[in-house]
């Protein structure tokens, strides 16, 4: 049983979660997720657990074990869970769902402790690096900031009325927020660095990135690149200094739903409904695997 420093996992509509040796492309463990498809995966900060978000459950699996059963099931959503993530120290988890809610779960307790109503199917949720705010996007085109200290919605934006927000991303230094929508457009805002709360979104750029839907947008860990994945089967890498297109990654045969950067931002892993995941070199744009 490998105990890799890099944990790469994939999942989808085949009701399985697979763990891979990233460099060799070898699957070393497969978990069954019998109840539904898997919409999202997230690994805890300590790399000990993997959360798999389905419909309508979230299941937590051990990473470094042969135990095929989930150690915990989080039940409370009533629709597809579309977003899942963890607080920096792994004490609590957040989720968003097509049931129109954002929920917070204490990993040491049962059930959810907080619930926020978005009034639209939630498509994306990200945690601000300050660990005290969640930013969500929904099917109706709304972006909301949920202030966890005040326990309320502190800010609301509608970049394009009636156009679904598909994905949001926030820079690791809290300087930028990006929201991508169904019309192929990314909206970029500047935030005040070091501010205790995100009250002011300063419009920075509007980027028409794809002719199809954007399914995922992601700022690289070094805040140099923006990756966008699309229904047009491509992935694009944009330089955040000027928003010029650096690379178009071509090779997937169907919609590209998700992507994640390596910690050093040198590589990108993408996942597509062509049933493949690919590993790309960001500098050359070449597919390594």
């Amino acid at each position: 049983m490998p105990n890799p420093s890099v944990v790469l996992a994939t999942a989808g509509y085949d009701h399985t979660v697979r763990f891979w040796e990233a460099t060799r492309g070898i699957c070393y463990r497969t978990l069954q997720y019998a109840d539904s498809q898997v919409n999202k995966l997230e690994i805890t900060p300590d790399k000990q657990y993997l959360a798999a978000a389905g419909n309508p459950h979230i299941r937590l699996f051990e990473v470094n074990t042969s135990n095929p059963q989930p150690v915990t099931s989080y039940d409370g959503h009533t629709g597809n869970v579309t977003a899942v993530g963890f607080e920096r120290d792994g004490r609590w988890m957040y989720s968003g769902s097509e049931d129109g809610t954002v929920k917070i779960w204490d990993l040491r307790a049962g059930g959810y402790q907080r619930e926020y109503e978005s009034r639209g199917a939630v498509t994306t949720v990200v945690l601000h690096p300050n660990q005290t705010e969640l930013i969500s996007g929904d099917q109706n085109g709304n972006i909301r900031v949920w202030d966890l200290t005040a326990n309320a919605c502190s800010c609301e934006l509608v970049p394009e009325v009636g156009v679904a927000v598909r994905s949001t991303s926030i820079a690791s230094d809290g300087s930028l927020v990006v929201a991508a929508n169904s019309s192929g457009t990314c909206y970029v805002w500047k935030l005040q660095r070091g501010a205790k709360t995100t009250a002011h979104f300063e419009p920075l750029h509007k980027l028409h990135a794809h002719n199809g839907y954007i399914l995922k947008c992601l700022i690289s860990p070094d805040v140099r690149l923006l990756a966008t994945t699309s229904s047009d089967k491509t992935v694009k890498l944009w330089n955040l200094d000027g928003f010029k297109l650096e690379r178009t990654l071509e090779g997937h045969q169907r919609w590209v739903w998700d992507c994640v950067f390596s910690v050093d931002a040198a590589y990108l892993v993408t996942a597509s409904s062509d049933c493949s995941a690919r590993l790309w070199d960001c500098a050359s744009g070449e597919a390594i695997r």
Side-chain angles (χ1 to χ4, degrees):
M1 166 65 78
N3 190 349
S5 58
V6 175
V7 180
L8 175 61
T10 61
Y13 276 75
D14 65 356
H15 294 250
T16 68
V17 178
R18 297 174 191 266
F19 290 87
W20 303 84
E21 288 185 32
T23 48
R24 296 198 293 159
I26 296 169
C27 175
Y28 63 85
R29 184 181 172 209
T30 302
L31 301 172
Q32 300 301 317
Y33 196 98
D35 303 330
S36 75
Q37 81 281 0
V38 180
N39 300 315
K40 285 289 174 188
L41 295 175
E42 190 69 38
I43 295 164
T44 54
D46 62 8
K47 298 182 186 174
Q48 295 303 301
Y49 298 97
L50 173 86
N55 184 7
H57 320 281
I58 304 166
R59 301 267 153 82
L60 204 64
F61 295 91
E62 291 172 307
V63 170
N64 300 309
T65 177
S66 55
N67 177 17
Q69 299 303 318
V71 290
T72 322
S73 179
Y74 297 92
D75 308 309
H77 282 298
T78 56
N80 263 313
V81 182
T82 53
V84 64
F86 295 95
E87 176 260 349
R88 185 186 289 138
D89 297 325
R91 291 173 302 189
W92 48 267
M93 175 175 75
Y94 60 87
S95 61
S97 165
E98 289 177 356
D99 66 14
T101 68
V102 174
K103 289 178 167 50
I104 290 181
W105 315 74
D106 186 326
L107 295 185
R108 299 155 300 186
Y112 57 90
Q113 282 63 50
R114 293 195 194 180
E115 178 181 80
Y116 301 110
E117 291 278 350
S118 185
R119 303 192 299 278
V122 176
T123 52
T124 172
V125 185
V126 290
L127 176 62
H128 192 291
N130 65 18
Q131 308 295 297
T132 63
E133 292 173 308
L134 292 171
I135 300 172
S136 69
D138 70 26
Q139 198 71 35
N140 299 340
N142 302 298
I143 295 165
R144 291 190 175 90
V145 179
W146 305 97
D147 185 330
L148 305 183
T149 309
N151 204 24
C153 177
S154 60
C155 185
E156 201 168 315
L157 292 167
V158 186
E160 220 169 311
V161 176
V163 180
V165 175
R166 304 291 309 217
S167 180
T168 51
S169 182
I170 185 162
S172 55
D173 61 1
S175 61
L176 297 175
V177 171
V178 180
N181 71 16
S182 289
S183 68
T185 304
C186 281
Y187 289 86
V188 187
W189 295 272
K190 268 173 85 167
L191 300 181
Q192 284 182 307
R193 270 196 251 197
K196 285 200 165 59
T197 57
T198 305
H200 184 63
F201 282 70
E202 184 187 329
L204 180 65
H205 195 75
K206 180 181 175 181
L207 176 70
H208 187 73
H210 295 268
N211 290 326
Y213 300 127
I214 300 177
L215 303 170
K216 173 87 172 194
C217 64
L218 188 63
I219 299 171
S220 62
D222 60 2
V223 198
R224 201 184 71 79
L225 295 173
L226 170 69
T228 55
T229 79
S230 173
S231 60
D232 68 11
K233 308 174 192 172
T234 70
V235 180
K236 293 183 179 179
L237 298 176
W238 307 86
N239 193 317
L240 284 170
D241 182 15
F243 298 94
K244 294 283 187 288
L245 180 63
E246 285 220 344
R247 297 265 179 277
T248 300
L249 310 180
E250 295 178 299
H252 280 298
Q253 303 305 308
R254 296 182 72 179
W255 292 21
V256 188
W257 286 92
D258 206 355
C259 67
V260 63
F261 283 98
S262 59
V263 176
D264 60 3
Y267 301 100
L268 186 76
V269 178
T270 57
S272 164
S273 40
D274 65 9
C275 302
S276 77
R278 287 175 177 250
L279 176 65
W280 308 84
D281 183 318
C282 293
S284 68
E286 297 297 314
I288 299 165
R289 202 26 80 207

